[in-house]
Amino acid sequence: MTATTERPAGGAAPAGARPGAERHRKRLRPAQLLAPLSLAAIVVTFGVLSENFLTGSNLQVVLASSALLALAAVAMTVVVRAGGIDLSVGVAVDLGAYGAAALVAAGYVPWVAVVGGLLCALVVGAVNAVLVTVVGIRPFLATLAVWLIGSSAQQLLTGGGAPIYLSRGETPDGFRVLGGGQVLGLDVPVAAALVGALVVAAVLGGTVWGRVLTAAGDQPSATRIAGGAAGSTVASAYLLAALVAGLAGVLLASKSSGFVPFSGQLYVLDAIGAVFIGATLSRTGRTSVVGSLVGVLIFTLLSNGMNLVALSAFWQDLARGLVLLAVLVAAAVLARRAR
Amino acid sequence: MAAEVAPRVSLTGVRKSFGAVRVLDDVSLVVAPGEVVALVGENGAGKSTLIKVLTGFHRADTAVLEVDGRPASVASARDAEALGIRVVHQDRHLAGRLSVAEQLYLGRDEGGRGGLVHRRELVRRAERDLAASVGLHVRGDALVDDLTVAEQQLLQVARAVLTRPRVLVLDEPTASLAAAEAALLFDAVRRLAAEGVAVVYISHYLQEVGDLADRVLVLRNGRTAGEVSLRSAESDDDGGRVAGAERHALLDRVVELMVGHQVAGLGEREQRRPGGEPLLAVDGLTAPGAFTDLSLRVLPGEVVGVTGLIGSGVEALADAVTTGGTARGAGGRVGLGGRRVRSRRSFARAGGAHVPAQRRRDGIVVRATVRENIGLTATGQVSRWGLLLPRRERAVAERWVERTDVRPADPEALAGSLSGGNQQKVVLAKWLARGSRLFVLDQPTAGVDVASREQLYARIEEQVDDGAGVLLITTDLEELVGLADRVLVLHRGALVAELPRAELGVERLLAISSGQRAGRQGQEVPA
Ligand SMILES: Nc1ncnc2c1ncn2[C@@H]1O[C@H](COP(=O)(O)OP(=O)(O)OP(=O)(O)O)[C@@H](O)[C@H]1O
Ligand SMILES: [Mg+2]
């Protein structure tokens, strides 16, 4: 090729810099501040309203009560990032708890109970993965079906929904410590949630798998053409999510000394809310572990604060709904203004 | 044009910034009724942004809009449509699950007596309308998603034309069209202009601009670089536009305004001497509804070009090759470097690169950064044991952004925020970064400006000189003639000719691909 197309690199425009040469500085968009600001607003509000709110012991309570929701939200983060949604995350929590409690009740050693619980939860992930990536059912519908079936399964497994109780005597210390012990000054569930969140964050952000997962969640066909294994990666996202949710289930079984059917369902909607609040932290609306944890803190601090000021439970869902709505509506309005 | 006639549309003093980056600085666009104004400029000059201000998609920092001399304002596409402003955007967003007829009449009350839409009637109407307005022949009940890029493009144009617009804006409408299809589109544009529609035409093909425009407005780095009128007082034919050498000189002037200096075209180059075992071996490849029993070889160090019109099957070739003919109803065998291609993934793993025609859907992940897009493809270069190496990734991205001249040269820019041509450069960059050995390039320079095109060609040729092979699928005949060692022509799903480099010529290719000289393969293939 003889064409010698010398192009002046920048500075060629007579007056001022060429637009193309300037770096897109990593400027924060106002919308990205919404979730942190809401968090701060909640802290300040209840700090003023209740003198017990900003105390060390209360914050410890908050952390302890947010650990399981945090794990559920981390699980949800993975699936949403892969372009899906997991309505069956509560079923995975429940099956994890059921497996662990049933095995402990049957006299197995703690580690067998833990592994057994996680395996039970993985069944949920495997079914989701097959339905979504092999059969090709939309994630919302596939996990909805799994949720319904899983709820029924719990009834059948427990003879019509009878809880399993683990008496102090028959529970080995090694299992009790999971829900009630401490490591490094943290409750074990809090520590477990932190470790789980760190691992998932590292895997999502620092591995090829996470890169492919993120791309496949946005544009599966572009990902496949780019050489990424979109299908198997998305499938493994459901497995990872179930594993993390199962961990929450095992901790729950230990914490509550047994298994109460449907207790995992409590986390599903809050986890979804937390994940989408967290997504506003990113300039492209991408879900992230950090964002989801911010969302979880918003929800838990809000509930805790409302309890402290003795707001009736009837108002609490309304308040949470309004906060969720406020963040998302504000984010949408800001996005429109930024055109 | 009589001076007393108010401009049909006058958009003046446009300033627009994205964050800290000023993209348009005091740009004006004024078009008289019946006038065709070409809007040209390098990739990222701000053409599409200016148009998106006109349609209310972008909110300008400052801008004054007048339509027929009356002040107007647009805050949304709906406002623009109410004023009769119709735009065919560069990055088209078609609803894939709709049928052609539904898409064509989307948002309009059509065919429904008492609200009931007679489906079959509507489908037939759509087919007639498409044929009459832009010469497109497709089934009215086909799914939009199943159309080729070129067909989707024409469908969009037809959709705009059928609404009887007062102002029609076409943003790179011919980027993926073959010459014959583009000619039909030009006819449509001329008809509309003759009826008094004001037309704004964005293109990187100066030939087209010369054929069509009354006036050329050149943008450069977000400012008006100049204006060139292609009308002459003397000439009466062709609607009073300049022709011949005079036009040529004016267009050279346009290029100078665009890039600030003169650009050399595709120069003569030495005959390459490809040799060795074929890199790509395609045998008996069949793509349902497109072509049957196609066989071809690409040798190391060789550029094999393939061309054809809409309906020739050429648009399905890249997908069929890169999936190894494993799609439903497909058949045949594709070997790459001695390994059989069974999926897109195995194609990439065997050293294949695929630059797809639908760049926004298939070529890049729009919500990811340029760096992430490059890293996604060049995994071997930026990771070890599945762990990303952030420094390496950054370095690789910076290197290829620079080598392919992506602007802004910022690996952290979102791929979707780049201008169309720059997105295209990213698509090529990511495969170059991966170190692919065989490139299947489907319209690789669609929407890329004249100067950048040269740069991409240089990058491709480097790879070829280094022993890579290229299957170049394009409707840009000049590109074929400049780059290919051999050209295959498809017509109605069959290979009708194979021309060696010495016999390549734009006229010749044009004639063969439109079927005028479509003999059987043996006739054109020299023994
Ligand atoms: N949404 C956005 N956010 C940030 N920057 C943007 C956005 N849209 C466009 N830009 C920038 O504005 C500049 C002009 O882009 P525009 O799409 O108008 O170019 P263009 O002249 O149409 O180029 P092309 O010929 O490649 O289509 C580019 O530098 C681009 O990166
Ligand atoms: Mg553009």
Side-chain angles (χ1 to χ4, degrees):
Chain A
M1 176 157 296
T2 55
T4 47
T5 330
E6 301 251 326
R7 311 185 75 194
R18 59 192 312 134
E22 264 165 59
R23 295 240 143 176
H24 282 224
R25 246 161 267 132
K26 274 200 172 171
R27 287 163 41 107
L28 273 182
R29 301 181 178 206
Q32 291 174 260
L33 293 174
L34 283 170
L37 285 179
S38 317
L39 187 60
I42 289 169
V43 169
V44 170
T45 309
F46 289 110
V48 171
L49 288 180
S50 164
E51 60 208 25
N52 295 329
F53 184 71
L54 283 177
T55 59
S57 60
N58 186 52
L59 292 185
Q60 213 157 10
V61 169
V62 167
L63 279 185
S65 62
S66 64
L68 298 187
L69 174 59
L71 281 172
V74 167
M76 189 68 73
T77 307
V78 176
V79 173
V80 174
R81 182 119 150 187
I85 185 103
D86 188 358
L87 299 181
S88 66
V89 75
V91 172
V93 172
D94 281 336
L95 283 193
Y98 168 79
L103 287 168
V104 167
Y108 286 93
V109 292
W111 74 263
V112 174
V114 171
V115 172
L118 294 182
L119 286 178
C120 286
L122 270 181
V123 171
V124 178
V127 173
N128 285 334
V130 169
L131 290 179
V132 171
T133 60
V134 181
V135 185
I137 300 177
R138 267 183 273 169
F140 184 91
L141 298 174
T143 59
L144 177 65
V146 171
W147 177 16
L148 296 174
I149 293 167
S151 303
S152 233
Q154 289 180 40
Q155 302 252 14
L156 299 173
L157 284 171
T158 56
I164 300 174
Y165 291 115
L166 300 174
S167 69
R168 243 189 125 72
E170 67 181 339
T171 318
D173 284 347
F175 188 71
R176 269 220 315 274
V177 86
L178 292 177
Q182 291 219 322
V183 276
L184 304 172
L186 287 175
D187 292 345
V188 173
V190 175
L194 278 180
V195 172
L198 269 177
V199 169
V200 172
V203 164
L204 282 180
T207 65
V208 173
W209 180 84
R211 176 66 50 80
V212 174
L213 177 106
T214 310
D218 270 352
Q219 286 167 254
S221 90
T223 308
R224 271 191 297 274
I225 290 175
S232 60
T233 305
V234 169
S236 57
Y238 284 92
L239 291 176
L240 178 62
L243 195 66
V244 174
L247 176 60
V250 171
L251 297 172
L252 178 64
S254 166
K255 209 171 169 179
S256 58
S257 304
F259 167 66
V260 181
F262 314 124
S263 38
Q265 318 287 343
L266 286 174
Y267 300 116
V268 181
L269 298 180
D270 281 359
I272 293 177
V275 165
F276 284 99
I277 286 182
T280 61
L281 278 179
S282 132
R283 65 175 159 156
T284 54
R286 187 182 280 179
T287 65
S288 67
V289 169
V290 173
S292 300
L293 292 184
V294 170
V296 166
L297 276 183
I298 287 178
F299 277 157
T300 340
L301 284 172
L302 195 58
S303 299
N304 173 267
M306 289 188 293
N307 284 334
L308 285 182
V309 299
L311 199 64
S312 132
F314 302 124
W315 293 99
Q316 294 204 4
D317 278 341
L318 177 72
R320 285 194 306 189
L322 287 179
V323 169
L324 176 62
L325 209 58
V327 171
L328 297 183
V329 167
V333 168
L334 288 174
R336 280 179 68 105
R337 294 233 341 234
R339 279 187 305 165
Chain B
M1 259 133 292
E4 61 270 25
V5 180
R8 170 54 49 79
V9 62
S10 147
L11 180 65
T12 48
V14 182
R15 289 192 172 78
K16 171 71 186 168
S17 304
F18 289 108
V21 184
R22 174 150 288 185
V23 169
L24 289 175
D25 193 359
D26 197 13
V27 172
S28 297
L29 176 66
V30 180
V31 192
E35 189 185 23
V36 180
V37 171
L39 186 56
V40 302
E42 291 186 300
N43 293 133
K47 306 179 294 294
S48 298
T49 306
L50 180 62
I51 295 316
K52 287 176 182 166
V53 167
L54 180 65
T55 57
F57 182 86
H58 285 319
R59 185 195 301 244
D61 304 335
T62 67
V64 180
L65 175 65
E66 285 183 9
V67 176
D68 290 325
R70 277 187 298 276
S73 78
V74 289
S76 68
R78 191 172 291 241
D79 295 349
E81 274 167 33
L83 290 167
I85 301 173
R86 277 288 177 165
V87 178
V88 176
H89 284 292
Q90 180 179 20
D91 21 72
R92 16 182 205 286
H93 296 289
L94 289 178
R97 283 164 188 274
L98 292 185
S99 73
V100 167
E102 284 163 340
Q103 175 70 38
L104 187 61
Y105 302 122
L106 194 67
R108 298 169 55 199
D109 308 326
E110 287 295 331
R113 246 164 264 124
L116 256 187
V117 180
H118 295 271
R119 213 184 123 70
R120 296 215 4 226
E121 199 179 302
L122 198 65
V123 164
R124 258 181 280 123
R125 235 240 344 272
E127 287 167 359
R128 276 200 308 275
D129 277 351
L130 283 172
S133 60
V134 291
L136 176 64
H137 298 275
V138 290
R139 290 179 60 102
D141 53 3
L143 282 188
V144 170
D145 231 7
D146 294 335
L147 299 189
T148 67
V149 183
E151 287 165 344
Q152 289 190 1
Q153 185 66 56
L154 287 174
L155 174 60
Q156 285 288 64
V157 175
R159 193 171 131 69
V161 167
L162 287 177
T163 54
R164 314 223 132 266
R166 295 158 58 71
V167 179
L168 178 66
V169 184
L170 302 171
D171 194 347
E172 293 188 31
T174 56
S176 50
L177 298 188
E181 295 137 22
L184 290 171
L185 189 138
F186 300 156
D187 289 343
V189 169
R190 289 199 187 94
R191 267 202 308 277
L192 287 169
E195 289 167 16
V197 177
V199 180
V200 179
Y201 189 87
I202 301 178
S203 177
H204 289 293
Y205 297 104
L206 291 182
Q207 173 88 43
E208 292 176 358
V209 167
D211 285 348
L212 213 55
D214 299 308
R215 189 155 57 86
V216 185
L217 177 61
V218 186
L219 289 191
R220 178 149 191 246
N221 296 331
R223 295 164 195 236
T224 311
E227 257 191 3
V228 174
S229 173
L230 296 180
R231 300 193 68 86
S232 90
E234 296 104 74
S235 161
D236 260 349
D237 47 280
D238 194 13
R241 292 162 4 95
V242 295
E246 196 182 346
R247 187 198 283 182
H248 216 84
L250 287 172
L251 290 178
D252 281 349
R253 171 92 190 108
V254 167
V255 175
E256 248 184 272
L257 286 172
M258 265 168 74
V259 298
H261 57 92
Q262 292 198 322
V263 178
L266 275 172
E268 279 304 308
R269 61 170 172 72
E270 292 166 37
Q271 174 79 42
R272 277 188 286 260
R273 307 215 167 278
E277 288 293 300
L279 257 177
L280 180 74
V282 175
D283 288 294
L285 191 63
T286 295
F291 54 80
T292 44
D293 202 17
L294 188 85
S295 300
L296 61 88
R297 295 279 179 277
V298 179
L299 303 181
E302 186 182 35
V303 179
V304 176
V306 186
T307 191
L309 299 181
I310 289 186
S312 65
V314 73
E315 60 286 335
L317 183 59
D319 261 331
V321 168
T322 54
T323 55
T326 54
R328 188 175 304 164
R333 194 191 153 91
V334 176
L336 177 51
R339 283 197 268 170
R340 175 138 191 212
V341 175
R342 292 173 192 282
S343 63
R344 293 191 188 281
R345 193 162 162 71
S346 72
F347 174 77
R349 291 193 138 185
H354 179 191
V355 172
Q358 293 240 27
R359 81 175 145 238
R360 247 187 118 81
R361 192 190 74 190
D362 297 338
I364 52 167
V365 179
V366 293
R367 289 204 308 167
T369 64
V370 172
R371 170 180 56 79
E372 289 170 329
N373 269 285
I374 291 177
L376 178 66
T377 300
T379 44
Q381 277 65 36
V382 304
S383 69
R384 188 167 301 145
W385 309 116
L387 297 180
L388 293 169
L389 308 169
R391 284 236 207 91
R392 278 272 281 286
E393 185 179 43
R394 170 123 201 141
V396 167
E398 273 180 351
R399 176 179 147 82
W400 285 101
V401 157
E402 193 202 319
R403 298 207 70 201
T404 52
D405 195 28
V406 174
R407 296 180 193 195
D410 177 7
E412 298 309 315
L414 290 180
S417 80
L418 298 183
S419 80
N422 281 299
Q423 289 175 11
Q424 189 66 29
K425 296 183 206 167
V426 173
V427 186
L428 203 64
K430 67 181 197 178
W431 290 112
L432 290 169
R434 187 183 165 107
S436 307
R437 298 315 291 156
L438 180 96
F439 293 79
V440 175
L441 308 177
D442 201 348
Q443 310 282 6
T445 54
V448 175
D449 70 48
V450 202
S452 303
R453 223 177 288 168
E454 301 297 328
Q455 208 150 5
L456 293 188
Y457 293 151
R459 292 289 93 80
I460 294 170
E461 300 220 297
E462 275 169 24
Q463 300 296 314
V464 174
D465 292 341
D466 200 33
V470 173
L471 186 65
L472 174 65
I473 305 165
T474 181
T475 48
D476 184 337
L477 299 180
E478 310 231 356
E479 183 166 292
L480 275 183
V481 172
L483 223 50
D485 297 303
R486 213 152 41 92
V487 172
L488 313 176
V489 184
L490 283 180
H491 186 71
R492 293 182 201 276
L495 213 64
V496 291
E498 172 171 346
L499 305 180
R501 169 148 197 89
E503 294 176 32
L504 290 182
V506 170
E507 309 291 313
R508 179 121 193 255
L509 287 171
L510 203 57
I512 299 174
S513 52
S514 55
Q516 287 169 26
R517 271 201 282 166
R520 282 181 307 117
Q521 190 169 351
Q523 280 177 274
E524 290 289 342
V525 181

